[in-house]
Amino acid sequence: MSVIKSFRALRPVSGKAEQIACVPYDVIYDSEVRSTIAENPLSFLRVTRPEGEFPSGENVSDEEIFAKSRENLQEFIDKNLLAQDDEESIFIYRLTDGEHSQTGVVACCSVDEYEQDLIKKHEKTRPDKVEDRTNHILALEAQTGLIFLAFRNTDKIRALIAETVETEPLYDFSCPNCIQNTVWRVEKTNELIEAFAEVPALYIADGHHRAESANLARKKMREANPHHDGTEEYNFVMAGIFPAEDLKILAYNRVVKDLNGLTEEEFLEKLGENFIVTETDEKAPDQRETFSMYLNGKWYQLRFSVNFFREPDAIERLDVSILQNYVLKPLLGIDDPRTNERISFVGGARGVEELEKMVDEGKGKVAFSMFPTTMDDLFAVADMNEIMPPKSTWFEPKLKDGLLIHLI
């Protein structure tokens, strides 16, 4: 059983959604935040990343940043750029990128179900990032971005979504990167709530830090509320819930700063112990257990050549696990990629050209282009109640911040 509920959304007034909507807070570089805000003062990055409004290089405290975020959100409301719905609603949200389209439901989900692992996870979270977003939620008393959930679709939900998208949308606009964003309001909310009650589980596709932050914010607000009864808005977290059949996962690539004391010749020789290494013009692998590597201006294909003595489990067979267990850890000394500062991760949307650029500019010594993880991989690991290696999945297109806001 999966619990969803309607909510009174704070959202852009008519005609302002295109200017206000912005990328998620954690997929944009600091320099890009500053340039975006300078070009578009209505960008919701002023709320999610307000540090971009302070002078570059200025030592600004977290308290000042969160105060600025709160001030900017109130400014959006006072200037009638954002308004809260009078009635609770559920929404349908479609993103279209060329020939790819994904259509899901935006509603609130139960934080209790998250705590009980009925909303299933596949990644660990970093305490510093969770603390940052928890404090952001508490400062604003609002959840400003969507957790991205996946589910196995049903005929009933498919039919209800299809019925809604035949109506007039609330928003329909294209972003600078040519992604079309379309949002509808659901009329038959009870039918949709009942249909999701038949879905066995929801899975976090992206947004583990947002989810854990909503959980910790709930705990703090519950402790401060002597009249807590479980119905308060802070007991629910806003999410975009999309059928797995619609979703597209891109590769999450790796760049390492040095060769851990090895010469290029020694590194290539050691790679040959577990991989068939050949020079190639291909910059991205076309199948599992194959990797493209950029080193000193050349691309190499690494084809995994180890025969397992037993059938690998769902985690061991992941390409990100193979790279970690046979290259990053034993050869390059990356024991914990979550904390090791010698490794960087590059989302697939930035392309392999970003890998070449980083290595050519000396920001890294070697780069690895990955074959994407699949939704079946994600479900298999989550159903085992296990955790994937960090940065295993990059979902594209990204859900926008600022289109729908949940006041708690």
Side-chain angles (χ1 to χ4, degrees):
M1 176 178 180
S2 296
V3 174
I4 68 168
K5 72 177 286 291
S6 55
F7 67 106
R8 290 180 59 207
L10 178 68
R11 57 186 183 84
V13 299
S14 178
K16 296 298 182 183
E18 181 176 355
Q19 291 171 280
I20 292 173
C22 70
V23 297
Y25 75 98
D26 56 350
V27 301
I28 184 169
Y29 297 144
D30 290 345
S31 60
E32 294 171 326
V33 171
R34 293 183 182 281
S35 62
T36 300
I37 291 175
E39 294 169 6
N40 175 22
L42 295 189
S43 171
F44 201 69
L45 285 170
R46 293 184 59 211
V47 175
T48 60
R49 293 286 299 275
E51 62 270 26
E53 293 191 273
F54 291 92
S56 180
E58 182 175 314
N59 188 16
V60 184
S61 69
D62 290 344
E63 290 75 14
E64 290 175 293
I65 290 173
F66 294 131
K68 188 66 175 176
S69 182
R70 184 169 58 248
E71 175 188 322
N72 287 345
L73 179 61
Q74 190 60 49
E75 178 188 323
F76 275 67
I77 295 171
D78 292 343
K79 290 185 175 180
N80 198 33
L81 299 169
L82 297 173
Q84 188 174 21
D85 288 336
D86 293 329
E87 299 179 355
E88 292 191 347
S89 300
I90 292 174
F91 303 89
I92 301 300
Y93 183 15
R94 172 177 289 167
L95 296 101
T96 304
D97 182 8
E99 295 183 358
H100 173 79
S101 181
Q102 59 190 56
T103 308
V105 174
V106 176
C108 281
C109 298
S110 166
V111 176
D112 283 336
E113 290 204 339
Y114 170 81
E115 279 195 326
Q116 297 162 9
D117 289 328
L118 297 176
I119 296 177
K120 299 193 176 187
K121 315 163 184 66
H122 69 269
E123 285 185 4
K124 288 183 179 178
T125 54
R126 282 176 44 185
D128 58 334
K129 291 185 67 175
V130 171
E131 181 182 13
D132 174 74
R133 284 301 104 176
T134 299
N135 291 333
H136 188 267
I137 291 172
L138 292 172
L140 273 64
E141 295 187 334
Q143 298 155 358
T144 58
L146 296 168
I147 297 169
F148 185 8
L149 301 181
F151 71 99
R152 294 182 174 96
N153 209 356
T154 68
D155 290 340
K156 186 178 294 186
I157 293 174
R158 196 177 288 112
L160 288 169
I161 289 176
E163 182 178 337
T164 298
V165 300
E166 292 299 318
T167 64
E168 186 73 18
L170 297 175
Y171 308 125
D172 189 19
F173 63 91
S174 179
C175 296
N177 52 3
C178 298
I179 295 173
Q180 193 75 19
N181 290 258
T182 313
V183 178
W184 295 264
R185 190 199 305 271
V186 175
E187 294 184 0
K188 298 179 180 179
T189 56
N190 287 337
E191 291 186 24
L192 197 57
I193 290 169
E194 291 170 1
F196 268 94
E198 299 176 6
V199 174
L202 302 175
Y203 298 79
I204 299 180
D206 198 6
H208 287 80
H209 290 91
R210 291 182 192 255
E212 183 61 17
S213 299
N215 183 34
L216 292 183
R218 189 270 285 265
K219 289 180 180 178
K220 292 179 181 292
M221 296 182 76
R222 180 174 57 193
E223 291 168 359
N225 180 10
H227 304 294
H228 170 86
D229 63 13
T231 63
E232 297 87 355
E233 288 299 318
Y234 58 69
N235 293 289
F236 301 90
V237 59
M238 182 177 64
I241 315 166
F242 287 78
E245 65 198 42
D246 280 10
L247 302 184
K248 179 173 67 173
I249 303 179
L250 302 185
Y252 218 145
N253 301 317
R254 276 85 166 128
V255 179
V256 180
K257 289 185 177 179
D258 57 69
L259 296 183
N260 196 32
L262 298 173
T263 66
E264 292 178 16
E265 293 74 16
E266 290 170 336
F267 179 55
L268 289 169
E269 182 179 351
K270 288 182 176 294
L271 282 173
E273 296 174 4
N274 295 306
F275 298 86
I276 299 171
V277 182
T278 55
E279 289 192 31
T280 182
D281 293 327
E282 299 299 323
K283 301 179 181 182
D286 61 359
Q287 60 182 315
R288 300 180 75 123
E289 298 190 0
T290 303
F291 308 84
S292 295
M293 180 181 75
Y294 188 64
L295 175 68
N296 194 20
K298 295 180 180 179
W299 281 97
Y300 297 84
Q301 182 190 78
L302 312 182
R303 188 177 296 278
F304 190 52
S305 59
V306 171
N307 292 319
F308 290 105
F309 291 107
R310 59 171 177 79
E311 180 67 22
D313 65 26
I315 299 174
E316 292 170 330
R317 69 167 65 99
L318 294 173
D319 280 7
V320 288
S321 295
I322 292 171
L323 187 72
Q324 176 63 31
N325 295 335
Y326 290 87
V327 180
L328 299 181
K329 181 177 180 178
L331 303 187
L332 297 178
I334 309 292
D335 290 327
D336 186 351
R338 289 184 179 86
T339 59
N340 196 300
E341 295 181 355
R342 293 172 47 242
I343 187 169
S344 302
F345 300 91
V346 180
R350 293 188 179 271
V352 294
E353 293 77 16
E354 181 74 8
L355 302 182
E356 292 178 322
K357 179 182 177 182
M358 291 179 70
V359 173
D360 291 344
E361 292 180 351
K363 296 177 182 177
K365 181 65 176 178
V366 61
F368 299 93
S369 172
M370 311 289 292
F371 189 75
T373 304
T374 68
M375 284 303 302
D376 286 340
D377 292 329
L378 188 153
F379 283 159
V381 172
D383 285 337
M384 292 167 55
N385 293 318
E386 293 289 350
I387 299 298
M388 282 185 174
K391 310 298 184 184
S392 293
T393 55
W394 179 276
F395 285 89
E396 196 70 29
K398 298 291 185 185
L399 314 185
K400 293 294 185 181
D401 282 1
L403 276 181
L404 298 163
I405 301 151
H406 179 216
L407 300 179
I408 60 171

